[in-house]
Amino acid sequence: MTYHHLSVLIHRQAEKYGDKVALKYRDYETSQWIPITWNKFSRTVRQAANALVALGAEEQRNIGIFSQNKPECLFTDFAAFANRLVTIPLYATSSSAQAQYIINDAQIRFLFVGEQFQYDAAFSAFGFCHSLEKLIIFDRSVVRDPRDKTSIYYDEFLALGEGLPHNAVVEERTARASDSDLANILYTSGTTGEPKGVMLHHFNYREAIRIHDIRLTAMTDKDVSMNFLPLTHVFEKAWTYFCLHRGVQVCVNLRPADIQTTIKEIRPTLMCSVPRFWEKVYAGVQEKIAQESGLRKAMMLDALKVGKMHNIDYLRAGKTPPLMLHLKYKFYEKTIYALLKKTIGIENGNFFPTAGAAVSDEICEFVHSVGINMVVGYGLTESTATVSCFLDKGYEIGSVGTVMPDLEVKIGENNEILLRGKTITTGYYKKPEATAAAIDKDGWFHTGDAGYLKGNHLYLTERIKDLFKTSNGKYISPQALETKLSIDRYIDQIAVIADQRKFVSALIVPVYGLVKNYAKEKGLEYKDMADLLQHPKVQALFRARIDTLQQQFAHYEQVKRFTLLSEPFSMERGELTNTLKLKRSVVAKNYKELIDKMYEE
């Protein structure tokens, strides 16, 4: 595959594909998907690149993009690369204070904002950001603050580049663009401390694309990818660049909550997702099986059994399934599996990369049994995403796949996973101490994740920094327990508590709808959700479900007491990061009284 530097990628693809559709986005007024051809993509990028020169953007300086996923994010990215600028994405859910920290840390002059929420957060931070000169607003329906005298809308910004008045400057800058240029600074919304800006250079992306070309051979320019995770996240960002490099059509999903609708409208062949997406699919199927009876129930259970034998016991191991098993599988493929995939919207599925958290063995087995090719992987912002991922055959359930080509992985002290290679960051922006702590003198990056290698298969055991030590001196891994328990259809969110405590407890956010259904079935009376969650029958239901799921854990690792919460953990209260990971210290502080109560004698 020919690799084109990201500064020229879109133009080279336009020469190859012309009026073929490159991107699609949803018009919410008409509920229609609007196509953007490669030619139009290329023209818009050129115009935006000229507009950046008109604004006074200088080479190797930082610009920010603070938006939900929109085609404008990509126009701006590639226009910036043409000018040798560095783009810094901010999570669309960031607060004003978070935005202010990043703008000041990176000395951002121009910030592109998406919708009203991002505009409001950015504008209220404006006075505290001395480097910030201008907001450029993607969404025309955003209402500007009456005091705002500097912001412009994206169409006004593009008008500055109409007729390409500064093309000579852009061309000259693009000619100087090199692999050693900085491409992005990605701020990780760490679960502790202030965010760190991970520097990713163009050589990091070149290498990431090269090793994915070797690994992901099933992908072609006939594929359609649903861009669902935030483009701020390295997983989706690097994946989208890779899709564009392979000529794949990218459909941009604006609002994460809309995925159930948009996936059925697009019916993609590819989509990056997090395990939570598949956990919900699994819970839905379990729910359906629980409601069925007689022959239909027996068939559904048999379909899962047959799928497991066919796909996992035989195909995965590189063996040919017996004829009768194969015929049964084919029957279910046309009936039960087909219906399931169509219901989700993935009946055209090719493969589905999944990472960002641990995937439980049950979920992994289930998804593969019904013939969905979920490519489980592991990666970090600091490694330009993928460190390892499943192969089509020979993947090991419980592992995070096989190490990517030409990436060095070794296991260090405390079983820590160490990485070395061309996809690894050179360090954290303006943070020499943090960089020195993460990358040792031999160039090994310390991930903070513990694991082991079995051949070329990588297994994760726990996040070293997240290990809890009980007051009895026993170490427990909260993620392992949380991953196991969160597959239960009644559990939406869970925070395991154990650090410096004498036993393990948990705060649980239930799936409220299912608890209400249960109350209706059992004829339970209650005033409100808080009252219902205290009901002895509801408490007993959760106790039984937790005990069933935690059997394989050692006695000291099991949840002894739990509290059901009547409202979910939230980003507003700082309990979740932008990538929806738990901030354990904030949860411990916010729920101190409830937690202490679980430890009363």
Side-chain angles (χ1 to χ4, degrees), residues 405-421:
D406 303 318
L407 180 67
E408 292 180 85
V409 176
K410 77 170 182 179
I411 306 300
E413 272 180 57
N414 299 325
N415 298 325
E416 186 175 15
I417 298 166
L418 309 183
L419 310 172
R420 193 165 65 178

Side-chain angles (χ1 to χ4, degrees), residues 424-445:
I424 307 301
T425 181
T426 56
Y428 299 107
Y429 187 64
K430 298 202 293 205
K431 284 195 168 36
E433 297 83 10
T435 300
I439 302 169
D440 66 28
K441 59 181 194 316
D442 298 321
W444 288 98
F445 173 75

Side-chain angles (χ1 to χ4, degrees), residues 134-151:
K134 197 181 278 298
L135 301 178
I136 299 103
I137 307 161
F138 290 157
D139 188 341
R140 245 299 170 191
S141 66
V142 166
V143 180
R144 283 188 290 199
D145 188 287
R147 297 164 298 172
D148 183 355
K149 302 288 179 265
T150 53
S151 299

Side-chain angles (χ1 to χ4, degrees), residues 38-284:
W38 282 101
N39 280 337
K40 172 109 192 281
F41 194 176
S42 168
R43 282 197 303 274
T44 311
V45 168
R46 276 192 210 282
Q47 205 171 325
N50 274 259
L52 281 167
V53 178
L55 282 186
E58 297 155 313
E59 291 173 80
Q60 288 292 276
R61 296 290 288 274
N62 304 329
I63 66 166
I65 301 175
F66 180 18
S67 176
Q68 300 271 36
N69 294 351
K70 290 170 91 65
E72 288 84 352
C73 300
L74 296 169
F75 301 153
T76 308
D77 250 353
F78 290 103
F81 298 149
N83 280 301
R84 299 182 66 223
L85 295 172
V86 184
T87 64
I88 299 175
L90 284 74
Y91 280 98
T93 48
S94 298
S95 66
S96 186
Q98 288 169 322
Q100 186 184 321
Y101 175 83
I102 293 172
I103 294 163
N104 287 334
D105 193 56
Q107 291 293 290
I108 290 170
R109 280 178 67 197
F110 305 110
L111 181 66
F112 292 79
V113 298
E115 299 177 297
Q116 194 72 48
F117 175 86
Q118 292 86 28
Y119 169 77
D120 291 344
F123 187 73
S124 66
F126 208 110
F128 306 98
C129 303
H130 302 302
S131 63
L132 192 58
E133 287 174 28
K134 197 181 278 298
L135 301 178
I136 299 103
I137 307 161
F138 290 157
D139 188 341
R140 245 299 170 191
S141 66
V142 166
V143 180
R144 283 188 290 199
D145 188 287
R147 297 164 298 172
D148 183 355
K149 302 288 179 265
T150 53
S151 299
I152 57 172
Y153 290 102
Y154 201 71
D155 53 355
E156 297 171 314
F157 162 75
L158 283 179
L160 300 172
E162 210 165 312
L164 311 184
H166 305 287
N167 217 37
V169 178
V170 175
E171 294 288 342
E172 186 198 328
R173 287 176 173 182
T174 302
R176 277 201 300 276
S178 80
D179 277 357
S180 58
D181 287 347
L182 191 54
N184 300 132
I185 303 169
L186 301 183
Y187 281 83
T188 58
S189 56
T191 50
T192 54
E194 57 186 29
K196 298 196 290 271
V198 177
M199 295 188 287
L200 293 182
H201 289 72
H202 283 278
F203 65 76
N204 294 128
Y205 282 113
R206 176 188 284 267
E207 178 68 0
I209 287 171
R210 185 186 75 80
I211 62 181
H212 282 80
D213 272 336
I214 297 169
R215 175 65 57 92
L216 300 178
T217 51
M219 190 171 172
T220 74
D221 57 13
K222 307 276 186 296
D223 273 304
V224 175
S225 179
M226 176 60 97
N227 157 222
F228 154 51
L229 299 180
L231 278 165
T232 314
H233 197 295
V234 71
F235 183 25
E236 188 69 67
K237 184 176 261 320
W239 169 257
T240 301
Y241 292 171
F242 182 59
C243 285
L244 294 170
H245 152 80
R246 290 289 280 262
V248 167
Q249 184 188 116
V250 175
C251 300
V252 183
N253 178 73
L254 174 72
R255 302 188 183 109
D258 293 346
I259 189 63
Q260 256 78 31
T261 308
T262 56
I263 196 171
K264 291 190 186 84
E265 291 172 344
I266 291 296
R267 304 198 173 264
T269 64
L270 307 165
M271 183 176 83
C272 282
S273 71
V274 286
R276 195 77 194 113
F277 179 85
W278 298 111
E279 284 166 9
K280 286 183 171 169
V281 170
Y282 175 77

